[in-house]
Amino acid sequence: MKTSIIIPTHNEEQYIGGLLESINEHIKEDIEVIVVDNGSNDKTTDIISKFDCTLVSLAKKAFPSKARNEGVQMANGQYLVFLDADVVITEQWALELKQLKMNKTNLPEMFITGSTYCISRNPGWIEIYWFEELRKKNKDYINGGNIITTVNTFQSLGGFDEKLETGEDVDFCDRANKNNITVILNKNWKVFHEGFPKTINAFVRRESWHGKGDFAGLDKIIKSKIALATLCFISLHFGLIFFALKDALTASVILASILLMMCYVRAAK
């Protein structure tokens, strides 16, 4: 059974060559690689042209969810693989794909599988002490840059929600769970994520962008501990400023103490 690998890109000249090289190195089965370029203005498309893959260029920059959906429109495979441009697949990943195509994975007809990213092969301290710790936590969704599913599953869910700028992977798996479609994390789908931030500035930009998904609507806010904590944190600051301006010393001290305790507890955790 043919497999379609779909890769959205936007200014990925630093990483896309590494992913495409890893695909060529490790996968020998019947596959097609579809790269959906999302308005790159660097050398991304020049690098892509050196590899045996189909390049789809969007007329204007869109959210990654739309880029992935556009890639599916060009796909001919029964299995769909969604990879981000800044990951690198492994021999273990390729072996798991081979097992899947030989029907040796005991998965049902409708499924979503994949795994969390491993940190880069040469990690910085932010990756070691932040992202590696996050990777160890239990999740009920698959990261969008390492999703494996079937055409039937994808179509039954209506693809990725193109209204979402980020968090489309969480939404995709959430809808699957609600429709009794199996979502299973499998560590054998091992990829290295070379695009994790290695500086504080890059880290803040990344987390700010990802955080947009938590504020996409009231239902998202209610479900997100991070969004609720953020709103609480901001509200406490406004309260502190208000009471300070009113010279309400007791209230100001209480709010300041709560804020300091929140910072301490979170930092300790």
Side-chain angles (χ1 to χ4, degrees):
M1 296 175 68
K2 193 167 189 175
T3 300
S4 299
I5 298 178
I6 298 162
I7 307 165
T9 60
H10 175 69
N11 292 343
E12 299 287 356
E13 64 179 9
Q14 184 177 355
Y15 302 110
I16 185 61
L19 171 58
L20 295 176
E21 287 173 2
S22 70
I23 291 172
N24 287 346
E25 177 182 357
H26 296 301
I27 303 178
K28 309 302 179 185
E29 295 81 18
D30 188 19
I31 64 166
E32 63 176 359
V33 178
I34 302 168
V35 181
V36 183
D37 187 63
N38 198 1
S40 294
N41 52 25
D42 61 359
K43 296 180 181 179
T44 295
T45 55
D46 293 336
I47 296 170
I48 294 168
S49 66
K50 299 176 182 178
F51 293 86
D52 182 18
C53 57
T54 300
L55 174 62
V56 179
S57 296
L58 299 185
K60 61 180 181 179
K61 190 176 184 298
F63 294 156
S65 49
K66 179 173 177 59
R68 292 191 177 103
N69 288 345
E70 289 292 325
V72 174
Q73 297 301 313
M74 301 293 295
N76 297 303
Q78 290 90 345
Y79 292 118
L80 299 176
V81 173
F82 298 96
L83 295 173
D84 277 352
D86 57 358
V87 304
V88 175
I89 70 166
T90 63
E91 184 177 352
Q92 186 177 359
W93 191 100
L95 178 60
E96 192 64 20
L97 177 63
K98 185 175 182 179
Q99 294 293 313
L100 174 65
K101 296 176 74 170
M102 294 173 63
N103 295 316
K104 293 184 178 181
T105 54
N106 297 317
L107 286 168
E109 181 180 351
M110 305 277 276
F111 68 86
I112 298 172
T113 188
S115 184
T116 53
Y117 311 127
C118 294
I119 58 176
S120 66
R121 290 163 293 183
N122 297 297
W125 67 270
I126 294 177
E127 294 172 271
I128 295 171
Y129 293 109
W130 180 264
F131 291 106
E132 179 61 17
E133 293 303 312
L134 285 181
R135 191 175 72 86
K136 297 174 183 177
K137 295 181 180 293
N138 293 327
K139 294 183 178 180
D140 57 0
Y141 70 94
I142 312 293
N143 291 114
N146 189 24
I147 285 180
I148 299 89
T149 187
T150 65
V151 168
N152 289 340
T153 303
F154 185 88
Q155 291 177 342
S156 71
L157 293 172
F160 293 100
D161 187 344
E162 296 184 3
K163 298 190 297 296
L164 297 177
E165 181 176 357
T166 181
E168 74 283 352
D169 47 4
V170 178
D171 172 76
F172 187 67
C173 294
D174 186 46
R175 286 186 280 122
N177 284 318
K178 290 178 179 176
N179 286 276
N180 297 316
I181 294 174
T182 298
V183 178
I184 182 167
L185 284 156
N186 180 350
K187 293 181 179 179
N188 290 332
W189 296 105
K190 182 179 179 180
V191 299
F192 292 104
H193 189 207
E194 299 299 333
F196 275 135
K198 298 183 185 296
T199 66
I200 292 294
N201 284 340
F203 174 77
V204 171
R205 288 197 302 270
R206 179 186 188 274
E207 296 308 304
S208 297
W209 180 75
H210 276 290
K212 290 181 180 180
D214 291 329
F215 291 90
L218 182 60
D219 58 328
K220 302 290 185 183
I221 293 174
I222 293 172
K223 292 179 181 178
S224 172
K225 294 178 181 178
I226 294 175
L228 292 173
T230 300
L231 291 175
C232 178
F233 201 65
I234 292 172
S235 299
L236 287 169
H237 274 86
F238 277 117
L240 179 59
I241 293 170
F242 174 80
F243 286 117
L245 292 173
K246 293 291 185 179
D247 290 325
L249 181 59
T250 302
S252 298
V253 170
I254 291 173
L255 290 179
S257 299
I258 294 173
L259 282 167
L260 287 172
M261 184 58 67
M262 286 181 66
C263 292
Y264 175 78
V265 170
R266 187 57 194 163
K269 185 175 182 179

